Amino acid sequence: MSVVKGKRIKRLGIMGGTFNPIHYGHLVTAEESYYKFSLDIVIFMPAGHPPHKKDGEIISAEDRYLMTVIATASNPHFFVSRLEIERPGPSYAIDTLRELHQIYGEEIEYFFITGADAILEILTWKDSEKIYEMCSFIAATRPGYSLEKFKELSLTSTQKKNKLPKVHFLEVPALAISSTDIRRRVKAGSPIRYLVPDEVANYIYKNGLYR
Ligand code: ATP
Ligand code: MG
């Protein structure tokens, strides 16, 4: 049994992302997962070098990490990890899960939280079949992404006898917020208030990010 800040951990959520920047869509999804799946804590895991993203628009890992800390600081069951930003090379989920299993042990349950758009990508992740043995997935509905596509794909994979991830579906209050839109807004001088926590907006302006 692992203990984090006096809490005994049996069910651990991992919220992976680029967090470029973190926004209320991420926070609502993590909180709803915590509540619906009785998680003990959720660890936000900013990616160091996301293998699936174009490099140009990604600001430094340290800025993305700090904004994630600022945005989650007041929530007693949210934590932020430096595992991926400190590991050199591309951030693969398999390496992160192996490290988490070492830190927190094999006896606890791991839930990888993703938006519905990312759930389709899981099938393409490095060592995906090993990943499926190390965690299950929480797929949060996100406006514009249909879970039907995933279900169709699962069917064809079952017919091909491929291993599939264990996926729990979760409806979160629809928030059509994306980091891409926030970056565009900052660049255009449009408001981002009420899309990200005030402290995150202040950090962006203070440091001249996304201009
Ligand atoms: P970008 O626009 O740069 O791709 P993003 O808003 O999709 O950024 P990511 O850091 O790529 O944010 O997302 C991390 C995780 O959060 C992914 O699993 C993604 O599907 C999920 N997510 C992002 N925005 C939302 C949202 N509004 N509602 C639910 N899940 C979300
Ligand atoms: Mg995205």
Side-chain angles (χ1 to χ4, degrees):
M1 176 81 60
S2 276
V3 176
V4 174
K5 303 236 176 208
K7 266 186 214 264
R8 299 169 75 202
I9 309 298
K10 282 184 252 152
R11 295 162 74 83
L12 188 155
I14 307 152
M15 180 83 202
T18 315
F19 303 128
N20 184 32
I22 188 164
H23 54 67
Y24 279 127
H26 300 130
L27 294 162
V28 165
T29 301
E31 182 68 5
E32 194 67 6
S33 301
Y34 164 82
Y35 173 71
K36 284 275 166 61
F37 294 92
S38 308
L39 305 179
D40 297 300
I41 57 172
V42 176
I43 300 184
F44 286 70
M45 187 69 67
H49 314 270
H52 297 289
K53 297 240 174 178
K54 289 178 284 159
D55 245 12
E57 294 195 312
I58 300 183
I59 60 161
S60 79
E62 212 56 50
D63 280 329
R64 290 182 290 108
Y65 168 80
L66 282 175
M67 287 190 283
T68 308
V69 170
I70 293 169
T72 55
S74 64
N75 187 320
H77 45 261
F78 283 180
F79 295 87
V80 188
S81 169
R82 295 182 62 88
L83 273 184
E84 289 198 354
I85 65 172
E86 281 179 2
R87 193 193 309 132
S91 302
Y92 292 114
I94 183 73
D95 302 327
T96 303
L97 280 163
R98 286 203 177 112
E99 285 193 63
L100 289 174
H101 275 243
Q102 268 179 2
I103 299 169
Y104 298 99
E106 305 285 337
E107 316 79 49
I108 72 165
E109 273 190 78
Y110 295 85
F111 296 81
F112 209 107
I113 305 164
T114 72
D117 55 328
I119 197 73
L120 285 165
E121 289 169 18
I122 292 173
L123 305 163
T124 69
W125 285 0
K126 179 170 172 269
D127 290 325
S128 56
E129 298 201 346
K130 271 183 218 143
I131 293 179
Y132 306 162
E133 290 164 12
M134 303 177 84
C135 67
S136 60
F137 290 85
I138 298 174
T141 54
R142 185 181 180 182
Y145 296 94
S146 108
L147 295 177
E148 293 310 310
K149 251 198 280 174
F150 177 76
K151 288 176 183 158
E152 256 170 52
L153 220 100
S154 317
L155 265 175
T156 35
S157 315
T158 325
Q159 281 150 7
K160 287 195 211 135
K161 299 211 168 55
N162 291 345
K163 263 202 201 150
L164 279 175
K166 185 168 181 206
V167 181
H168 319 273
F169 293 99
L170 171 74
E171 278 202 35
V172 296
L175 280 176
I177 304 178
S178 72
S179 301
T180 303
D181 180 51
I182 289 161
R183 293 193 297 275
R184 276 197 210 116
R185 283 171 169 273
V186 174
K187 198 163 196 173
S190 312
I192 56 171
R193 189 179 249 176
Y194 310 127
L195 299 175
V196 301
D198 287 346
E199 296 79 4
V200 170
N202 292 341
Y203 186 95
I204 290 171
Y205 296 134
K206 175 176 173 183
N207 294 288
L209 306 177
Y210 307 120
R211 283 229 211 89

